[in-house]
């Protein structure tokens, strides 16, 4: 019998930090006093999931500066996985966003009183980017645990889509991010904000499962989830 050749045994671990998952939420906007995306995300700060360390950070609900802050976080943490999370009032399930589009079109002002209409997120950038998260595997994982979930074909045209597009543009064009996967997830209101809603506990459970599933699924599965129209 041959002895197993295990190179990881001889790799020094004292100075190497675990790979990082960057998880972001937003501050409250549009007159709300809380944002479930941040309340759920912040509970996961510093948690270990599948050998990765979670870094939780809040982004401002502001066109432009949200992306400046996201770029800083990406430079600082060099994550292997990025999931940006935002509130989508009126939705009844955790929405796994498929596509980010190159347009800002705000119906309300952002938290810095800006309200861009029909401007590009990135001038000259491609019309859209697809998520690089395994959203079908994530959908099945959530549904398997009885957590309401759906694939969404639009993240809107406000700050969430802006951040989603900016994230995907950064990952696909900047050096050093070729192997970083990322995407966007919308969450419903909390019960105190209105209906339909999900509780913070359920959102946290869902986010943990999304991270674990993404880390365990290098290639997404083929599973139909599209609407018939
Ligand atoms: N939701 C908004 C921006 C911040 C948030 O949590 C959106 O869906 O664009």
């Amino acid at each position: 019998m041959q002895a197993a050749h295990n190179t990881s045994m001889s790799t020094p671990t004292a100075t190497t930090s675990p790979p990082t998952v960057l998880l972001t939420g937003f501050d409250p906007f549009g007159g709300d006093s809380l944002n479930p995306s941040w309340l759920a995300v912040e509970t996961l700060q510093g948690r270990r999931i599948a050998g990765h360390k979670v870094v939780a950070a809040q982004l401002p609900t502001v066109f432009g500066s949200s992306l400046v802050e996201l770029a800083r976080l990406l430079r600082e943490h060099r994550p292997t996985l990025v999931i940006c999370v935002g509130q989508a009032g009126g939705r009844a399930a955790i929405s796994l966003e498929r596509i980010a589009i190159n347009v800002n079109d705000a119906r309300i002002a952002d938290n810095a009183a800006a309200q861009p209409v029909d401007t590009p997120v990135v001038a000259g950038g491609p019309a859209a980017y697809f998520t690089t998260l395994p959203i079908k595997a994530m959908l099945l994982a959530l549904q398997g645990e009885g957590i309401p979930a759906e694939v969404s074909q639009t993240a809107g045209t406000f700050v969430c889509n802006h951040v989603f597009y900016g994230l995907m543009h950064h990952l696909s064009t900047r050096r050093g991010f070729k192997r970083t996967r990322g995407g966007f997830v919308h969450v419903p209101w909390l019960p105190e904000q209105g209906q339909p809603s999900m509780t913070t506990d359920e959102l946290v459970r869902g986010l943990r499962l999304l991270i674990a599933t993404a880390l365990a699924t290098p290639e997404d599965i083929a599973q139909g989830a599209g609407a018939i129209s």
Side-chain angles (χ1 to χ4, degrees):
M1 225 177 98
Q2 271 205 311
H5 186 70
N6 188 345
T7 50
S8 68
M9 294 288 285
S10 56
T11 305
T13 51
T15 53
T16 48
S17 42
T20 299
V21 173
L22 177 63
L23 196 59
T24 69
F26 284 99
D27 61 352
F29 68 99
D32 268 324
S33 59
L34 57 83
N35 190 322
S37 68
W38 175 241
L39 296 180
V41 160
E42 71 169 339
T43 67
L44 293 173
Q45 165 62 27
R47 294 283 189 89
R48 295 293 173 104
I49 301 177
H52 288 61
K53 194 183 91 184
V54 177
V55 171
Q58 191 186 77
L59 300 179
T61 304
V62 175
F63 288 98
S65 55
S66 50
L67 285 183
V68 172
E69 176 62 4
L70 181 63
R72 192 192 65 74
L73 291 162
L74 291 169
R75 264 198 312 276
E76 182 181 342
H77 299 289
R78 298 266 150 194
T80 57
L81 181 72
V82 185
I83 304 182
C84 296
V85 187
Q87 162 185 311
R91 294 198 191 176
I94 293 180
S95 291
L96 309 170
E97 298 294 349
R98 190 198 296 265
I99 188 164
I101 60 174
N102 193 10
V103 66
N104 305 308
D105 186 4
R107 189 172 31 81
I108 59 169
D110 71 11
N111 285 352
Q115 196 172 347
V117 174
D118 295 350
T119 63
V121 181
V122 176
Y129 284 104
F130 286 118
T131 187
T132 48
L133 299 177
I135 53 173
K136 299 298 184 63
M138 292 159 95
L139 178 71
L140 284 195
L142 290 179
Q143 289 176 339
E145 289 294 313
I147 300 171
E150 65 192 3
V151 168
S152 161
Q153 320 301 346
T154 174
T157 53
F158 193 49
V159 180
C160 287
N161 172 73
H162 179 80
V163 161
F164 184 16
Y165 185 94
L167 167 68
M168 302 317 297
H169 188 70
H170 193 109
L171 297 185
S172 75
T173 59
R174 298 293 177 95
R175 289 176 68 144
F177 291 97
K178 278 224 153 35
R179 293 216 297 271
T180 301
R181 290 179 299 157
F184 200 96
V185 170
H186 265 119
V187 296
W189 280 319
L190 295 180
E192 55 264 49
Q193 294 176 283
Q195 291 301 326
S197 69
M198 286 173 68
T199 64
T200 313
D201 279 2
E202 210 173 14
L203 294 180
V204 172
R205 217 156 56 82
L207 291 179
R208 285 186 67 104
L209 190 55
L210 290 182
I211 294 169
T213 305
L215 291 174
T217 314
E219 288 276 327
D220 203 4
I221 55 171
Q223 163 79 36
I228 311 292
S229 61

